[in-house]
Amino acid sequence: MLGGPQSTTPPMSCYRTVDSTGTDIAGADVPYQIDHALATKMYSTMAALQIVDTVFYEAQRQGRFSFFMTSAGEEATAVGSAAALTIEDTVFTQYREHGVMMWRGYTIQQMAHQCYGNILGHGKGRQMPIHYGSKELNFHTISSPLATQLPHAVGAAYALKLEEKQACVAVYFGEGAASEGDFHAAVNFASTLSAPVLFICRNNGWAISTPSTEQYRGDGIAGRGPSYGIASIRVDGGDARAVYNATAEARKIAVANSCPVLIEAMSYRSGHHSTSDDSSRYRTADEMNRWRARDPVMRFQSLLLANDWWDPQQEKDLRLSLRKEVLKALEAAQKEPKAPLSDMFTDVYKEMPWHLREQLEEAMAHVKAHPEACPSDIPVR
Amino acid sequence: MISRCSRGLSALSRHSCSLILRGLSTAAAASSEKSETSRINLCTAVNEALAITLENNKKALVFGEDVSFGGVFRCTADLLQRFGKERVFNTPLSEQGIVGFGIGAASLGCTPIAEIQFADYIYPAFDQIVNEASKYRYRSGGEFNCGGLTIRAPYGAVGHGGHYHSQSPEGFFTHVPGIKVVMPGGPADAKGLLLSAIQDPDPVIFFEPKMMYRTAVEEVPKGEYTIPLGKAQVKREGTDITLVGWGQQVAVLEKAAALSLEHHDISCEVIDLRTLLPWDVAAVGKHARVLNDAFAGVHRCTQTRRKRHSEVYYGLHSLCIKC
């Protein structure tokens, strides 16, 4: 028999190019070199992500919007992988990958609008904060149910294959979501139907309060890939250069062969699950501090410093200007009106059917007769 | 009068009938050789709609379990041979995968026609249908949609199907804003409605009455034609009571109407809703108001939807009954 609790087979090894301190690992394979411009863009994006996470989190705490999720500790996974994709590659995400969107050009202002649910925000204020999406930037709208995006990604990849596009789909998910049936369905479909999709798993050790030891017993998520006939790699998710290389190679394989590839990025969720969570209730400060010491952004900064591509003054200037930009974006978003009442009924179908028109008219009539029934910041039109 | 009707109807519902439906017109019934119709069953009608779609729309896909060899009901017969394995293909055995895959392909502009082998097995896909397909457009503020998706599933009792090859689960879906639910009552309607469903810009669930795949035969127009969604059809005129049904039950209602007239001198109007979501309340309301008397919504397995337009409800002098 293979596998099981008595098995002595070691787990799949983990690809990395720098150690926890950010020092190069001698002999590490780095087929895709990162030049000055790319490194600076990657680092700046990760820094922006950190500042957005910090300030938006505080904004939620102050009651400026209802909810927020950070990606602290996973910046390298998001940005490192995004940097290896092209804008032609369609992206589906779970909820902790806004670094991917920011890499593509989703602005801090757009994120603020969506979190405030105002008229300019993606989704016309209908969804909770952090449910971003952008047709222009080729990433599909986030939905709260976990792993549902995985089979979507496979169907989308199949569509790309039919169009003979030199592109792939990248779909992100956590190790907890990988327990859902949709994960199994998606990887099985991707393999049997030969769909060019990158399955990028952020294994950050926690699914809210559930540690990964209670999530699975096999060899993580990467360990599952080969049993579906999928080429798989485990990578240090805190090593941006390793994630970049793994993704670039995976993309090359996927596009050339119209097949799926599975990447499991090992990292750590440094922040709470969301603003509705207090993770000190289920994990130790010691554990969190040990991981914070391996901050992926600092590890990548070491690469820039080692190449003389960065200095403390640039660091100071960048962080200051980003913080100003974030605060300005939040202020501007706060000033925008919410979407009008009628937007509650549009886009349910392409054309509004009679029964929704009837409900819209009833709602408008009710609000006109009872203005107090409608929140004062929702325009009645 | 009403209670006699309801007893009669439930007695009828236990019969399994071999049904030859009225043709679209007496002229068509008289000479199918020279006309633009052919005498085919419901299964063939579905197959024709799929073939026409695959022929005219290069982004159309037909997939599901056992679709390649023609399907367990033969609805996809010959499609692989005619259109190739890139567009007509088997999927692994996973309804959540089938529908999720379809949503994704539709979101990139394909016209996926996903088959669920029996409506009884649609439930693993319920999350994908309710939480994803129905909300794809709305939650994205209109930037994305999966409107090209059609889900086909054979439904309904045949007599020997038991718990898991007989279900009529449409009631679960008629309360989900963002999708449409269609149930044809015969071959000609099936072909035209399926073509409309496929071409509709919103995701549609199309339940096919499996009992009628072979037993329902009628003159069906050749070539492409569509029957609009959201429009009911009066199958039989009547003056005393309106019977509203859908799918395979409509033929039963028509038989009941004939018997009611013959044995009880009750003149029944029969309306086939055809689309359940959104449903043609105007047609039903107009006729029930005209009759100003009784109204019965009939469906064999599940409770008729209780939401009623005020026009219908308040215009009636007698109670609604449901069977």
Side-chain angles (χ1 to χ4, degrees), chain A residues 84 109 149 152 301 351:
Chain A
Q109 187 64 76
Q149 72 276 17
H152 301 170
Q301 194 196 67
E351 306 297 338

Side-chain angles (χ1 to χ4, degrees), chain A residues 66-90:
Chain A
S66 61
F67 178 81
F68 193 70
M69 297 178 91
T70 67
S71 52
E74 303 183 57
E75 298 87 348
T77 302
V79 175
S81 58
L85 302 172
T86 74
I87 196 68
E88 310 297 321
D89 303 322
T90 302

Side-chain angles (χ1 to χ4, degrees), chain A residues 135 140 152 158 344 349 354, chain B residues 86 128 136 138 143 179:
Chain A
K135 189 170 172 70
H140 283 233
H152 301 170
Y158 195 86
M344 203 155 69
Y349 296 91
W354 70 265
Chain B
E86 284 198 334
Q128 285 286 350
Y136 218 88
Y138 186 76
E143 284 192 38
I179 58 169

Side-chain angles (χ1 to χ4, degrees), chain A residues 90 92 122-124 126-127 131 133-136 138-149 151-163 169 180-182 185-186 188-189 192-193 343-351 353-356 358-359, chain B residues 58-61 63 85-87 89-110 124 127-128 131-134 136-144 176-180 201-203 277-282 307 309:
Chain A
T90 302
F92 292 82
H122 176 75
K124 300 180 185 173
R126 293 164 181 151
Q127 289 217 81
H131 288 66
S134 167
K135 189 170 172 70
E136 188 199 355
N138 208 1
F139 64 87
H140 283 233
T141 306
I142 290 169
S143 70
S144 309
L146 297 184
T148 47
Q149 72 276 17
H152 301 170
V154 181
Y158 195 86
L160 287 181
K161 183 170 86 160
L162 283 185
E163 288 176 58
V169 174
E180 285 280 3
D182 273 343
N188 196 25
F189 273 54
T192 54
L193 301 178
D343 269 359
M344 203 155 69
F345 302 94
T346 55
D347 301 324
V348 180
Y349 296 91
K350 181 150 197 277
E351 306 297 338
W354 70 265
H355 64 290
L356 290 186
E358 193 178 85
Q359 288 178 35
Chain B
K58 298 307 172 208
K59 293 189 156 195
L61 310 170
F63 55 89
K85 63 179 169 58
E86 284 198 334
R87 297 168 63 211
F89 51 91
N90 289 340
T91 62
L93 214 164
S94 166
E95 287 75 15
Q96 68 194 100
I98 288 167
V99 173
F101 175 91
I103 291 167
S107 76
L108 255 65
C110 286
D127 184 34
Q128 285 286 350
N131 273 331
E132 300 295 319
S134 77
Y136 218 88
R137 185 190 298 276
Y138 186 76
R139 73 190 187 201
S140 72
E143 284 192 38
F144 296 105
V176 181
I179 58 169
K180 295 183 179 170
D202 296 299
L277 175 69
W279 65 290
D280 191 354
V281 78
K307 183 181 182 337
H309 191 269

Side-chain angles (χ1 to χ4, degrees), chain B residues 232-280:
Chain B
Q233 187 179 52
V234 177
K235 304 295 279 192
R236 181 189 173 107
E237 304 282 352
T239 54
D240 294 329
I241 180 171
T242 299
L243 311 178
V244 180
W246 48 90
Q248 61 195 48
Q249 212 46 5
V250 175
V252 177
L253 294 183
E254 287 182 292
K255 254 204 134 139
L259 287 168
S260 293
L261 188 64
E262 188 189 332
H263 296 298
H264 307 288
D265 201 28
I266 297 167
S267 165
C268 302
E269 179 180 62
V270 176
I271 295 181
D272 179 357
L273 278 191
R274 304 199 294 193
T275 300
L276 304 188
L277 175 69
W279 65 290
D280 191 354

Side-chain angles (χ1 to χ4, degrees), chain B residues 115-173:
Chain B
E115 179 176 303
I116 300 295
Q117 196 157 87
F118 285 83
D120 313 56
Y121 312 141
I122 200 167
Y123 307 112
F126 199 71
D127 184 34
Q128 285 286 350
I129 293 167
V130 175
N131 273 331
E132 300 295 319
S134 77
K135 297 169 172 57
Y136 218 88
R137 185 190 298 276
Y138 186 76
R139 73 190 187 201
S140 72
E143 284 192 38
F144 296 105
N145 73 80
C146 62
L149 174 65
T150 305
I151 300 167
R152 297 176 40 246
Y155 89 95
V158 293
H160 60 273
H163 295 63
Y164 305 111
H165 299 81
S166 313
Q167 291 178 37
S168 301
E170 72 276 16
F172 292 113
F173 299 96

